[in-house]
Amino acid sequence: MLLSYCTNVHPAEDFDGLIRQLREYSGPIRRKTGLTVLGVGLWLPAGLARRLAGNADDLAVLREVLSAEGLQLHTINAFPYGGFHNEVVKLDVYKPTWAERERLEYTLDCAEVLAALLPENTAGSISTLPLAWREPWTQTDDDAATSAFVELSSRLRELRERTGKTVRIAVEPEPGCVLDTVADVAGWLAARIDRGIDPEYIGLCVDTCHLAVSFADPVDAVKRIEAAGLRVVKIQASAALHVTDPSSAAARAALRAFAEPRYLHQVREQGENGILAADDLTEALDTLPGKAPWRVHFHIPLHHIPSAPLETTAAVLRHTVAEVSRRHYGREVHLDIETYTWSVLPGGQVGIVDGIAAEIGWAESHLLAAAPAS
């Protein structure tokens, strides 16, 4: 698999900031790892994607900087539209929805940029949100989203004919959204293949933090995708928080340190009669019974082992990569490390260069070296 780290961890949202982050962070991370070439999964806010899609000169500068820093682009994160480092993000990250034209236009801009910068003989991927937050969502919205993905399929087909580059969209299920789980995304897309959604260009992004929070089995999830006639396009390598006994005083004290105000931290409890849900960690601490294990949507650095009673779901990531690697297309899947939470981790700021370099080293030894041959 092609390994990269996602640059949505860096706050810059304009062209100068993008160039600066590549030089000040991405290049030094590559040198720290000792890699000859490091993959970067770019996050391009909508305004910057629009500028780059129509500007050959800016693309030439970006291409030159990527080359000079030993960086390679094969995937883009087009989930956050913009403002991903605002003081409060929460539900804003799901706007605009796939029922709104702005979402399609943004994704197409990202596809143009990616096609222009892809290495030869390499397909590109773009991860995107699972339609919208679950409410409000109407049948009219759903019909509009279906039409958008049908048009997207057609436009990506045209892009390949025009440029010779294949760009695929990876729909990323997330707890609380219209398409909450892998099963939801696989079912929604499969039911619309005969209406024009093309599985050659539209597939899934498996964020392994989201997968773990849903308490889904990685092997079953990957098999479900395949049974639906779809493919895993991208894996976002991430780990959630796991707490075996969330009712204990020690666990609750440890969890409160992660209840920060910027991002949404959905929680699921594995109850005897099904999964219990809370939309944010502060809500979970007040409302969930805490009689069974919790998983919390908080991206924990892959190599980090938290102090008891907290654990991470890194094992879910390992099992997912191993299972996807067994698929016939396994080597074509993009593995993008997405720990965007460094700035809000309890305990203050952590050195980003050293931290991400450590994650990359962990991924190489625990994921790529351990994965079975495709």
Side-chain angles (χ1 to χ4, degrees):
M1 293 183 183
L2 290 171
L3 179 65
S4 57
Y5 89 93
C6 184
T7 66
N8 66 354
V9 65
H10 307 307
E13 297 205 20
D14 59 18
F15 184 70
D16 290 341
L18 171 62
I19 298 302
R20 186 168 55 252
Q21 73 186 23
L22 294 174
R23 287 173 169 157
E24 294 183 0
Y25 296 106
S26 303
I29 289 168
R30 179 193 63 78
R31 292 188 285 275
K32 185 76 175 180
T33 63
L35 294 172
T36 303
V37 177
L38 172 65
V40 287
L42 286 187
W43 171 54
L44 298 177
L48 179 54
R50 171 53 55 92
R51 169 177 169 169
L52 287 171
N55 193 319
D57 292 338
D58 283 352
L59 284 172
V61 171
L62 179 53
R63 186 181 296 109
E64 181 180 345
V65 172
L66 288 167
S67 177
E69 295 294 338
L71 306 171
Q72 186 179 91
L73 175 65
H74 48 263
T75 188
I76 287 177
N77 185 333
F79 195 127
Y81 190 81
F84 194 57
H85 290 268
N86 289 347
E87 288 188 14
V88 178
V89 177
K90 299 291 184 182
L91 291 173
D92 287 346
V93 77
Y94 309 109
K95 302 173 184 175
T97 74
W98 269 104
E100 298 169 86
R101 184 74 188 180
E102 294 94 330
R103 177 60 63 175
L104 174 61
E105 295 295 342
Y106 167 45
T107 307
L108 289 170
D109 285 339
C110 287
E112 290 287 346
V113 173
L114 186 54
L117 298 173
L118 274 173
E120 291 299 321
N121 303 314
T122 302
S125 66
I126 299 173
S127 49
T128 187
L129 76 163
L131 304 186
W133 187 247
R134 67 179 181 274
E135 55 187 10
W137 188 256
T138 66
Q139 186 60 51
T140 299
D141 294 330
D142 205 82
D143 292 342
T146 299
S147 296
F149 274 93
V150 170
E151 181 176 347
L152 181 60
S153 297
S154 177
R155 297 283 290 274
L156 292 174
R157 191 179 304 113
E158 183 274 332
L159 179 69
R160 180 158 71 179
E161 293 170 354
R162 174 164 49 87
T163 67
K165 301 293 180 66
T166 298
V167 174
R168 296 186 174 99
I169 303 303
V171 181
E172 177 186 337
E174 179 167 328
C177 290
V178 174
L179 304 178
D180 185 297
T181 65
V182 163
D184 292 336
V185 175
W188 193 87
L189 291 175
R192 289 158 177 78
I193 290 174
D194 62 358
R195 296 169 63 179
I197 290 181
D198 190 343
E200 170 62 19
Y201 296 99
I202 312 293
L204 280 84
C205 172
V206 179
D207 182 304
T208 54
C209 173
H210 302 173
L211 186 71
V213 170
S214 71
F215 285 96
D217 177 79
V219 175
D220 288 346
V222 175
K223 288 180 177 178
R224 185 182 292 269
I225 292 167
E226 191 169 43
L230 301 161
R231 63 188 287 168
V232 178
V233 173
K234 178 176 181 177
I235 297 172
Q236 280 182 180
S238 54
L241 276 176
H242 177 92
V243 188
T244 300
D245 180 13
S247 67
S248 73
R252 298 183 80 79
L255 285 168
R256 287 190 191 282
F258 288 86
E260 57 82 32
R262 177 173 295 166
Y263 300 114
L264 200 65
H265 300 295
Q266 300 95 312
V267 181
R268 298 293 182 265
E269 178 172 331
Q270 194 178 34
E272 291 183 0
N273 298 316
I275 303 297
L276 306 177
D279 287 338
D280 211 349
L281 180 54
T282 51
E283 176 190 337
L285 288 165
D286 290 337
T287 63
L288 290 184
K291 296 179 180 179
W294 282 10
R295 286 184 177 171
V296 183
H297 177 213
F298 195 117
H299 288 218
I300 303 299
L302 303 185
H303 63 291
H304 180 60
I305 301 175
S307 299
L310 301 182
E311 305 171 62
T312 79
T313 60
V316 173
L317 168 58
R318 292 196 298 270
H319 292 319
T320 302
V321 171
E323 187 63 24
V324 173
S325 295
R326 296 186 179 98
R327 312 272 80 79
H328 68 88
Y329 58 80
R331 293 185 184 277
E332 301 173 17
V333 175
H334 299 152
L335 182 62
D336 197 36
I337 297 171
E338 200 215 12
T339 306
Y340 59 82
T341 49
W342 288 95
S343 64
V344 295
L345 282 170
Q349 290 284 350
V350 179
I352 295 294
V353 171
D354 289 345
I356 295 175
E359 286 194 289
I360 291 167
W362 185 94
E364 287 191 299
S365 60
H366 289 82
L367 301 179
L368 300 184
S374 297

